[in-house]
Amino acid sequence: MTSSPNGARRRRPVLVPVASALAVVGIGVTAAFGGFTEAPQKPPPVVSPGDTIDQGQFHTQFIKAIDTTEKGDFGTTKRYLELVLKVTNMGKETASVGIIRQPGDKVLPVTGFAGSLLRTRPEIKTKYGPLVSVLSRGIESKQLQPGITTTVVVKYELDPTATAPSEISLDLGSFVYEKIGSRDQTHYWQLVGDWEGDDGRYVPKITSQITLPVRKENS
């Protein structure tokens, strides 16, 4: 046993009481400033045009956003803000391209691909909502076949005299394959989110964001 020069036994430093005291002081300081608070949630990742976005059921590329006109019936023309995407159905069954929810509409967890386009900034208001279709070899459809990459076009009709935004940003959701509830044991692809509020609203989670420049393009 090593001894000090005066013959007294050397004492080992006592750390536990000091640590406890510091912990107590820390708790006191935290309480003085309003108690414990949750760490702020990280913002969803921002992706770039052309990047492949993993949305679970789908892999998606946002190719471009254009301000364009198309010929309508009886010699008329219609103006659209169009989003052009490449979408691959990663599931094992045919999926619906679906529709985009209008502001104020109820959100359902089981939805088609377009249900994952949660919000645009600025909000593009249209009378009947945007048109969403699958374009394959010049033929429009509403189905996304498994394992196949197809072009999806989202069309927001614009007033002929309106000024199109210089860019458009989108909040995107993703899908998970799981049981829809404790009673229903069937698995479905459904939007990631939570039931919230007294009225049981389903709030989808924003899992990524993207901003596309809008350019003028003649049809």
Side-chain angles (χ1 to χ4, degrees):
M1 182 70 68
T2 303
S3 301
S4 61
N6 59 7
R9 181 176 297 176
R10 181 178 297 171
R11 294 184 179 180
R12 302 175 68 180
V14 181
L15 300 179
V16 175
V18 175
S20 299
L22 291 175
V24 171
V25 172
I27 293 173
V29 172
T30 303
F33 284 89
F36 291 98
T37 58
E38 294 183 0
Q41 293 184 349
K42 292 183 179 180
V46 176
V47 295
S48 301
D51 288 351
T52 299
I53 306 168
D54 185 353
Q55 293 185 278
Q57 187 180 8
F58 307 100
H59 284 180
T60 308
Q61 286 181 298
F62 283 79
I63 306 301
K64 61 182 179 178
I66 59 175
D67 174 9
T68 186
T69 56
E70 295 181 6
K71 292 182 179 180
D73 299 329
F74 309 107
T76 61
T77 59
K78 291 188 176 182
R79 184 167 167 231
Y80 295 97
L81 192 158
E82 290 188 5
L83 305 179
V84 181
L85 300 75
K86 292 290 186 181
V87 179
T88 306
N89 178 3
M90 305 303 293
K92 297 180 180 180
E93 299 178 352
T94 300
S96 169
V97 73
I99 60 175
I100 296 178
R101 179 183 64 89
Q102 290 285 77
D105 289 351
K106 185 178 181 180
V107 179
L108 298 175
V110 178
T111 181
F113 163 77
S116 68
L117 309 183
L118 303 179
R119 180 187 176 191
T120 65
R121 295 184 305 277
E123 180 184 336
I124 309 298
K125 296 182 179 180
T126 59
K127 186 175 181 180
Y128 301 107
L131 303 174
V132 186
S133 59
V134 178
L135 187 62
S136 178
R137 299 179 181 178
I139 300 174
E140 292 187 359
S141 75
K142 297 295 183 180
Q143 295 183 330
L144 294 163
Q145 302 298 331
I148 297 177
T149 301
T150 50
T151 299
V152 172
V153 179
V154 182
K155 299 167 63 173
Y156 298 85
E157 187 172 356
L158 300 176
D159 186 276
T161 61
T163 301
S166 60
E167 62 181 24
I168 183 169
S169 299
L170 295 98
D171 293 342
L172 309 174
S174 59
F175 295 84
V176 63
Y177 190 67
E178 63 183 17
K179 295 181 293 185
I180 199 168
S182 57
R183 294 184 179 181
D184 189 345
Q185 298 298 307
T186 308
H187 284 67
Y188 300 91
W189 283 105
Q190 52 193 298
L191 281 174
V192 176
D194 293 296
W195 296 98
E196 296 181 2
D198 296 334
D199 55 351
R201 294 176 293 109
Y202 193 78
V203 180
K205 180 181 178 181
I206 300 172
T207 54
S208 59
Q209 295 176 316
I210 189 170
T211 297
L212 299 164
V214 178
R215 69 172 186 262
K216 184 71 176 179
E217 186 173 293
N218 295 325
S219 58

